[in-house]
Structures are given as structure tokens and as C-alpha cells.
Amino acid sequence: MGVDLIFRIAAIGILVAVLNQLLIRSGREEQAMMTTLAGLIVVLLMVVKEIAVLFDTVKTIFKLE
Amino acid sequence: MLLKIVGSLVVILSCSFLGLILSRDCSRRPQQLRELQTLLQMFENQISYLSDVLIEAFERVNRVANSETGLIFGRAAEILGKGEAQSAANAWEQAVRQCIRRTALNREDEEVLVEFGKLLGSTDLEGQIKNIRLTMEALRIQEKKAEESRSKNETMYKSLGILGGIAVVIVLL
């Protein structure tokens, strides 16, 4: 699960970089910006579950319940 | 596992196909605008030198062209022949509206063509020829615009299709 997620995020990063270059080269800076933002949001949505787990762990470690 | 691979292949292939279709439309538009200019030139010659009736001129242009753009002329001749329209302008407009779907032309080009029909068969020979010249000039401007957008968009649509397909697969995997 963990390694799989990292690979997926890496692939999205590469794709977004290529798309960004492509759109900038054809003179569509705004759409390039939008794709970058979309990539960021997708990655965040994938990561948000893991972040929640991290917070839970921190809470249990320091007994903040 | 096998299902996943097959599914992702299908998604990538369909997305690349979509990009390919869009880029092909981009390259077909300037070509068809050029074709239309040639056809109008032919039409002008027939009216001015052969003094053809409109139906005959339309039909002859359609026979020579034998393509999507020539189809507009053929359809106009058909409508005129059957007597479905009140005037030549009306018949031409109907033909343009019906046949524009099959071509790669957009709304602006459609309006230019309809505008050409408005004066069709309502003035003397000189007026007709001037009208044709004016339309050809407008089509030339449209062609220049289409050529610009082609060089900008053709490769972009192609690679955008493939990359978009890959992106969808990665997100869904």
C-alpha cells in the first residue's frame, strides 16, 4: 500500500510536468496552471487519508484523547 | 489483474483516439476552406462564361468536386430542383445548414457561406461576380485564421489525448 501510493504520486508528478510544458509551448498558460492545480488537488486527495492516520498516531502517542 | 490491464488499455486507446479525431478536424478545416475557394472560382466561371442556370451550375460544381464541401452545392441543386424553397437564397441557406455538420467548418465559416447565399440570384451578372469575389476574400481570411489555429492546436490535441488517457488510468488504478 505505502510504496504503491508513492509510485502513483510520482507518476502523476511526471505527467503533470509534461502536460504543463506541452500547454505552455502551445501558448495556453492558463490551462497549464489549471492542470498543475488539478494534479496538486488529486495528489492531496490521495494523501489526505494517510495524513489523518498520522494525526491519529500522534494523538495516541502523546495521549491527547 | 488481467481485467485491470485490459481496462487501462481501453481507456488509453479511446482517449488517444479522441485526441486524434480532434487534431484531424483541425487540419481538415483549412483544407476544406481552400477547397471552397476553388469551387467558388469554378462557380464564378460557370456563371460568367457559360451563363448557366443556378441549378445546372450547382450540379456541375458538385460533380467536379465530389467531396464534403461539394455536397453543399449538390444539396442546394436538389432543393431548388424539387422546389422546396421559395428562393435561391433560401435553398442555399437550407443546404448550408444541413451539410455543415459533415464538414470540419465552424460557425463563422457557416455564417460567411449563408451571407454569400443572401445575394444569390437577386442581382445582375456583375453583382453576382462581385458577391462571389467578396465571399472568396472572406473565406481567405477564415483560412488564414484556421491555419493559425491548426499550427497551434494540432500536435497539442494529439499529445493531450494520449497523456490525458494515461493520467486517467493512473488516478483510477
Side-chain angles (χ1 to χ4, degrees):
Chain A
M1 172 62 203
V3 181
D4 203 44
L5 190 71
I6 293 174
F7 278 135
R8 207 186 287 179
I9 290 172
I12 290 179
I14 293 169
L15 261 180
V16 167
V18 175
L19 273 176
N20 198 26
Q21 287 302 315
L22 189 80
L23 285 170
I24 283 181
R25 220 161 22 96
S26 57
R28 290 164 184 254
E29 278 83 5
E30 285 183 18
Q31 275 94 333
M33 188 73 191
M34 290 309 280
T35 36
T36 317
L37 263 179
L40 187 71
I41 289 168
V42 167
V43 169
L44 270 182
L45 282 177
M46 289 163 102
V47 163
V48 79
K49 233 183 288 169
E50 309 299 315
I51 295 177
V53 172
L54 174 72
F55 279 171
D56 275 350
T57 329
V58 170
K59 266 190 211 161
T60 47
I61 284 176
F62 295 104
K63 300 203 170 50
L64 297 172
E65 294 290 300
Chain B
M1 194 61 206
L2 187 70
L3 194 71
K4 260 189 180 175
I5 292 174
V6 172
S8 21
L9 270 182
V10 167
V11 169
I12 291 179
L13 276 181
S14 50
C15 281
S16 344
F17 196 62
L18 195 71
L20 226 68
I21 288 176
L22 282 177
S23 80
R24 206 180 59 124
D25 259 7
C26 262
S27 61
R28 259 171 70 212
R29 191 171 154 232
Q31 191 198 339
Q32 286 184 347
L33 283 171
R34 262 194 299 279
E35 247 175 53
L36 266 178
Q37 283 174 50
T38 325
L39 292 187
L40 278 180
Q41 181 71 53
M42 214 184 291
F43 187 64
E44 181 191 331
N45 289 343
Q46 267 160 30
I47 286 186
S48 55
Y49 298 122
L50 298 175
S51 307
D52 269 349
V53 192
L54 259 183
I55 297 182
E56 278 173 34
F58 278 155
E59 258 168 9
R60 200 171 297 178
V61 168
N62 179 34
R63 232 176 298 141
V64 173
N66 202 13
S67 65
E68 285 110 335
T69 45
L71 220 66
I72 299 176
F73 289 88
R75 185 86 191 105
E78 210 176 289
I79 291 173
L80 273 181
K82 280 187 193 157
E84 287 171 8
Q86 292 98 345
S87 64
N90 198 322
W92 175 257
E93 185 172 345
Q94 277 182 37
V96 170
R97 302 269 189 234
Q98 282 169 18
C99 293
I100 207 85
R101 291 261 161 275
R102 278 189 233 175
T103 64
L105 306 175
N106 68 7
R107 288 206 78 80
E108 265 179 68
D109 309 333
E110 187 182 344
E111 288 315 311
V112 168
L113 285 177
V114 168
E115 213 50 46
F116 161 70
K118 292 249 166 78
L119 282 177
L120 209 58
S122 59
T123 59
D124 63 348
L125 185 58
E126 205 159 313
Q128 292 295 306
I129 288 169
K130 272 190 183 144
N131 181 27
I132 293 173
R133 294 257 163 85
L134 184 73
T135 310
M136 278 169 68
E137 197 54 48
L139 282 178
R140 198 166 300 138
I141 293 169
Q142 290 292 332
E143 187 201 327
K144 211 177 276 175
K145 274 195 214 161
E147 196 68 49
E148 253 171 46
S149 86
R150 184 187 73 90
S151 64
K152 224 169 117 187
N153 292 338
E154 199 182 9
T155 48
M156 193 201 70
Y157 276 134
K158 231 181 268 174
S159 24
L160 212 60
I162 299 169
L163 288 174
I166 297 174
V168 167
V169 164
I170 288 175
V171 169
L172 290 180
L173 213 61

